[in-house]
């Protein structure tokens, strides 16, 4: 069973990179069919799994579009796709229904964290957009993976 773990980010932090390096190395050591791909707009440091998003797609929403195009192009190669949740992503409404083997991976209570990161009207707008797109996208996946029980309970509320 071949698995893809895809992350599509503006910036790949050093902590995220380390986690993905450990995951990549563990899959190779265990000799399992597990591919790690990190699409991002920054400089590629580890070319074993990092892919720089082309310049034309580096805008706020366009990086997510590139992620979806990558998924559409590659989905048939994998039995399961673990896809790190893309925040306030309008493209999930368009492309989400076409990726039938996708699980979403959640590292935060997204709509709450957006309000905390961006106070004021920007935080309210992105939080609202995340609630709408996140809940709709959450109904399109075959399952959700959360890094903590608290996040899992939060995701469960959104789905109901």
């Amino acid at each position: 069973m071949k698995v893809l773990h895809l992350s599509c980010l503006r910036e790949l932090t050093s902590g995220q990179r380390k986690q993905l390096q450990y995951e990549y190395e563990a899959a190779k050591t265990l000799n399992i069919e597990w591919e790690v791909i990190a699409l991002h707009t920054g400089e590629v440091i580890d070319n074993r799994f990092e892919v720089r998003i082309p310049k034309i797609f580096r805008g706020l929403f366009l990086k997510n579009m590139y992620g979806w195009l990558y998924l559409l192009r590659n989905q048939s190669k994998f039995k399961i796709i673990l896809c790190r949740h893309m925040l306030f992503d309008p493209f999930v409404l368009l492309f989400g229904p076409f990726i039938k083997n996708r699980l979403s991976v959640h590292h935060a209570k997204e709509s709450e964290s957006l309000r905390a990161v961006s106070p004021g009207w920007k935080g309210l707008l992105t939080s609202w957009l995340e609630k709408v797109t996140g809940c709709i996208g959450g109904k399109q996946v075959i399952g959700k993976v959360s890094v903590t029980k608290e996040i899992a309970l939060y995701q469960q509320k959104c789905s109901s």
Side-chain angles (χ1 to χ4, degrees):
M1 176 168 71
K2 195 165 183 182
V3 176
L4 169 65
H5 180 196
L6 179 80
S7 300
C8 183
L9 306 155
R10 181 171 38 95
E11 181 181 323
L12 187 63
T13 67
S14 61
Q16 291 165 333
R17 184 173 284 111
K18 269 282 190 231
Q19 182 265 322
L20 294 174
Q21 284 171 335
Y22 292 141
E23 185 177 324
Y24 176 89
E25 290 164 9
K28 296 301 174 214
T29 300
L30 297 171
N31 200 27
I32 57 176
E33 293 185 280
W34 188 286
E35 194 167 321
V36 178
I37 299 290
L39 306 172
H40 63 92
T41 60
E43 294 298 320
V44 170
I45 293 174
D46 191 332
N47 61 9
R48 296 176 299 173
F49 61 86
E50 291 182 50
V51 176
R52 190 168 193 196
I53 295 172
K55 195 170 191 165
I56 194 167
F57 289 102
R58 291 187 196 155
L60 179 62
F61 290 111
L62 293 180
K63 71 172 174 44
N64 290 354
M65 177 190 265
Y66 185 79
W68 285 107
L69 293 174
Y70 185 92
L71 283 172
L72 286 169
R73 198 170 52 245
N74 292 287
Q75 70 175 319
S76 63
K77 298 175 187 174
F78 301 95
K79 180 78 171 171
I80 298 289
I81 296 174
L82 293 166
C83 185
R84 185 182 183 113
H85 179 69
M86 293 183 254
L87 291 173
F88 57 95
D89 176 28
F91 295 109
V92 72
L93 307 174
L94 180 63
F95 298 117
F98 298 106
I99 311 295
K100 302 290 187 197
N101 53 343
R102 179 172 59 100
L103 288 105
S104 59
V105 180
H106 300 269
H107 291 83
K109 296 178 182 180
E110 292 94 2
S111 63
E112 288 181 15
S113 65
L114 287 168
R115 279 197 315 265
V117 171
S118 266
W121 70 269
K122 286 182 183 177
L124 288 172
L125 179 63
T126 56
S127 177
W128 176 82
L129 186 56
E130 172 55 34
K131 281 182 185 175
V132 172
T133 59
C135 286
I136 292 171
K139 294 177 189 329
Q140 299 168 340
V141 296
I142 58 173
K144 294 180 181 183
V145 178
S146 299
V147 297
T148 68
K149 185 177 181 177
E150 183 181 8
I151 294 169
L153 292 171
Y154 176 82
Q155 291 302 320
Q156 206 171 24
K157 280 185 194 173
C158 182
S159 296
S160 52

